[in-house]
Amino acid sequence: MATRVIRKVGDDVLRKVSRPVDSINKNVLILLDDMAETMRNANGVGLAAPQVGILKRVVVIDVGEGIIELINPEIVHIEGKQMEVEGCLSVPGKLGEVERPAKVIVKALNRNGEEIRVEGTGLLARALCHEIDHLNGELFIDKAIRFVDPNEE
Ligand code: ZN
């Protein structure tokens, strides 16, 4: 495993739409491992492949309940609303209030190519939406209704 460089806002790669993974080959497995290590090192709760400069639909999330690896994730159900403050490893020093669904169900492939469904509420629902936005070139700063001073949080 290796740590990869996290791309920061202003880097064009963060604004591009990622391509679906068509075969889960060795490179995809290495990418998943490296992304998990990079996320852990940065104390993040989620990381999407474009954040390490790879335009593939691959996401890792860990909200404290173990690592979730998602390949070609798709939101198949949303319910309710929540408004909380969020940040992003690619937008250091910035936090903003973003409205997200209270609950989401995401369909994806795991590293074995099996279809999985992940149901998330609270922080996990937020992380799933935030990371899938990255795959579409969207950042939380596009959606924040208000920015907050990180020192006040
Ligand atoms: Zn992010």
Side-chain angles (χ1 to χ4, degrees):
M1 281 201 257
T3 301
R4 302 205 187 186
V5 175
I6 298 177
R7 305 298 184 93
K8 300 291 165 24
V9 63
D11 190 322
D12 284 351
V13 78
L14 294 173
R15 292 306 192 176
K16 297 199 167 133
V17 176
S18 293
R19 290 177 296 275
V21 171
D22 49 17
S23 104
I24 303 172
N25 56 26
K26 196 174 163 219
N27 286 339
V28 173
L29 300 179
I30 292 170
L31 176 64
L32 281 166
D33 290 341
D34 287 357
M35 283 172 62
E37 179 159 317
T38 305
M39 172 178 68
R40 256 183 236 119
N41 245 287
N43 294 313
V45 298
L47 194 70
Q51 291 182 274
V52 293
I54 306 290
L55 289 170
K56 284 184 179 160
R57 303 188 81 83
V58 174
V59 160
V60 296
I61 290 174
D62 190 346
V63 295
E65 295 161 7
I67 186 118
I68 300 171
E69 297 176 329
L70 302 171
I71 298 166
N72 299 342
E74 269 176 67
I75 295 173
V76 292
H77 178 79
I78 63 172
E79 218 176 291
K81 285 178 188 170
Q82 57 166 317
M83 182 74 83
E84 288 293 339
V85 171
E86 69 186 66
C88 177
L89 294 174
S90 293
V91 190
K94 219 164 197 188
L95 295 173
E97 271 186 83
V98 184
E99 185 181 291
R100 299 287 189 187
K103 176 182 167 183
V104 297
I105 299 173
V106 169
K107 180 179 90 168
L109 298 176
N110 67 13
R111 63 165 58 219
N112 303 316
E114 297 153 350
E115 190 178 300
I116 55 165
R117 272 165 199 263
V118 178
E119 186 179 311
T121 58
L123 179 59
L124 181 54
R126 177 166 295 278
L128 287 163
C129 294
H130 178 117
E131 300 313 329
I132 291 170
D133 278 354
H134 273 300
L135 305 181
N136 297 318
E138 293 170 12
L139 298 175
F140 86 97
I141 47 175
D142 309 338
K143 298 184 169 183
I145 56 142
R146 190 173 75 89
F147 290 100
V148 296
D149 184 340
N151 301 317
E152 284 172 18
E153 280 300 306

